[in-house]
Amino acid sequence: MACERSSVKPAFLLLLCFLLGTASAQLSSTFYSTSCPKALSTIKSGVSSAVSKEARMGASLLRLHFHDCFVNGCDASVLLDDTANFTGEKTAGPNSNSLRGFDVIDTIKSQLESACPGVVSCADLVAVAARDSVVALGGPSWTVQLGRRDSTTASLSAANSNIPAPTLSLSGLISAFSKKGFTAKEMVALSGSHTIGQARCTSFRTRLYNENNINATFATSLKVNCPSSGGDSNLSPLDTTSPTSFDNAYFKDLQIQKGLLHSDQQLFNGGSTDAQVNTYSSNSATFMTDFANAMVKMGNLSPLTGSSSQIRKNCREGELSIGMAGLVFNIDICMRV
Ligand code: HEM
């Protein structure tokens, strides 16, 4: 073994151990150009076909990427199924009975596996699917950096604590995003995602029946489908005017107190982010640019590399053997230092 024969200093091996375990990936937009030239077109057509069957799926795929990235980085941890001896993130409060799109990811992943087995990570697939979803619904495009690897683990507790709740105040929202390195302005831009998709009654009932900063006509119409008790899973659009178009209508809703979630209306409630909402409401192009830039930044949260990660063949299943092999390898080197 090189460790025994060479005269490399223990410090170097310690550094190697550290890098193997924790290094951040250097992402690149051309990562699959030679290893899987059809990767991007395969994902794009898979997303187009899913969104043409059901427009909301575009929103669901965008949210999947957010819930992946905010929990220990964009590493596809959100996709892992629970097993008898493993608890993933799917039963976390923000995800349970709410996150969607897993089947679409599975379908696209199996096409990628046929084209280039074991090459394209689930984390990259989710990142590209989020971008293609936004584009399919009329929003901006951006270049997705690639080369993320998939986790061997997941964290239920981090999913419960890192994904912002709809009950948060403005300062709570600013702080939740600041912990991930985002400014308040970027938080407002990213919240513009709620220009597409739906929320369950249970996510906005408290606001609907208890808050005053909600448009009265809007509230009356929402109550039909979201009674004060029961109907928890009944859906309403997050943007009441154009829920399948990625536009700036969400910010116009906020200006007239038609934010669906408590957290939405917090962005325009006499506080420090009102001015940003006004800007995005009157200038769609500025919103689109800021949103795309913030999505690139979100997609770059803590990408994985090295032996503590993997390229999953089935996005729902971690290949523990690869993780264990990496672990054994790491321990082996570290023991020799
Ligand atoms: C600012 C803090 C945020 C909070 C408190 C929040 C909360 C929520 C909640 C409660 C729902 C409805 C879930 C349900 O009732 O099942 C939802 C839906 C959604 N969220 Fe957020 N969210 C936030 C930020 C984001 C960000 C940053 C993105 C994307 C980058 C995003 C994308 C979406 C989308 C697209 C939907 C609709 C999903 C669908 O129709 O399947 N959200 N969000």
Side-chain angles (χ1 to χ4, degrees):
M1 170 108 195
C3 301
E4 289 162 344
R5 283 200 310 268
S6 74
S7 59
V8 264
K9 297 273 188 296
F12 170 76
L13 289 175
L14 272 175
L15 180 67
L16 185 64
C17 291
F18 175 76
L19 291 175
L20 281 168
T22 64
S24 266
Q26 195 61 47
L27 302 180
S28 137
S29 61
T30 55
F31 192 81
Y32 297 115
S33 299
T34 47
S35 58
C36 192
K38 287 188 180 156
L40 293 181
S41 59
T42 303
I43 300 172
K44 194 180 188 67
S45 66
V47 168
S48 309
S49 117
V51 171
S52 64
K53 278 189 203 124
E54 186 207 11
R56 184 189 173 197
M57 189 49 72
S60 305
L61 291 170
L62 172 59
R63 188 171 184 233
L64 204 51
H65 184 42
F66 168 48
H67 284 212
D68 183 26
C69 295
F70 262 52
V71 182
N72 297 324
C74 314
D75 60 359
S77 56
V78 71
L79 303 179
L80 290 172
D81 277 346
D82 286 5
T83 66
N85 44 22
F86 173 83
T87 306
E89 296 165 12
K90 289 185 175 176
T91 56
N95 295 341
S96 176
N97 297 317
S98 182
L99 267 197
R100 309 168 74 243
F102 301 110
D103 294 347
V104 173
I105 295 296
D106 289 343
T107 302
I108 299 173
K109 177 62 171 170
S110 66
Q111 291 164 357
L112 291 170
E113 285 302 304
S114 304
C116 4
V119 171
V120 182
S121 70
C122 299
D124 279 347
L125 162 52
V126 171
V128 174
R131 189 272 313 273
D132 292 347
S133 292
V134 169
V135 171
L137 296 176
S141 190
W142 59 90
T143 302
V144 180
Q145 296 296 310
L146 300 165
R148 298 166 192 78
R149 288 170 61 86
D150 300 327
S151 71
T152 54
T153 57
S155 174
L156 178 66
S157 59
N160 276 318
S161 57
N162 294 3
I163 298 168
T167 48
L168 287 180
S169 63
L170 178 60
S171 65
L173 291 167
I174 291 173
S175 142
F177 279 75
S178 152
K179 282 180 190 152
K180 298 289 169 188
F182 293 98
T183 62
K185 181 179 170 181
E186 288 167 330
M187 183 273 289
V188 174
L190 288 172
S191 298
S193 296
H194 289 179
T195 191
I196 52 174
Q198 309 268 330
R200 292 162 304 149
C201 170
T202 190
S203 300
F204 59 85
R205 179 185 285 119
T206 307
R207 162 164 168 73
L208 186 55
Y209 288 94
N210 297 286
E211 296 182 357
N212 295 321
N213 62 350
I214 185 165
N215 177 288
T217 321
F218 178 56
T220 304
S221 69
L222 287 172
K223 284 176 181 172
V224 173
N225 201 30
C226 183
S228 55
S229 74
D232 284 12
S233 301
N234 295 353
L235 297 172
S236 287
L238 285 154
D239 164 20
T240 183
T241 57
S242 52
T244 58
S245 294
F246 197 100
D247 53 21
N248 65 341
Y250 167 80
F251 297 105
K252 297 179 183 178
D253 298 335
L254 299 185
Q255 290 176 313
I256 51 171
Q257 300 194 317
K258 288 189 177 180
L260 184 65
L261 306 177
H262 168 83
S263 50
D264 290 328
Q265 199 58 57
Q266 283 294 294
L267 304 184
F268 192 86
N269 196 37
S272 60
T273 50
D274 281 17
Q276 199 58 49
V277 170
N278 287 333
T279 300
Y280 290 151
S281 167
S282 61
N283 193 335
S284 168
T286 306
F287 164 54
M288 299 289 176
T289 304
D290 288 358
F291 178 79
N293 288 333
M295 285 300 296
V296 171
K297 185 166 168 179
M298 190 179 91
N300 289 342
L301 285 173
S302 311
L304 279 178
T305 186
S307 56
S308 57
S309 60
Q310 59 186 329
I311 304 294
R312 287 182 220 141
K313 285 187 173 294
N314 176 342
C315 293
R316 296 171 181 265
E317 293 170 11
E319 289 163 38
L320 277 178
S321 55
I322 292 178
M324 287 307 290
L327 187 65
V328 169
F329 178 62
N330 266 323
I331 290 170
D332 183 57
I333 290 185
C334 296
M335 294 290 283
R336 290 162 190 266
V337 174

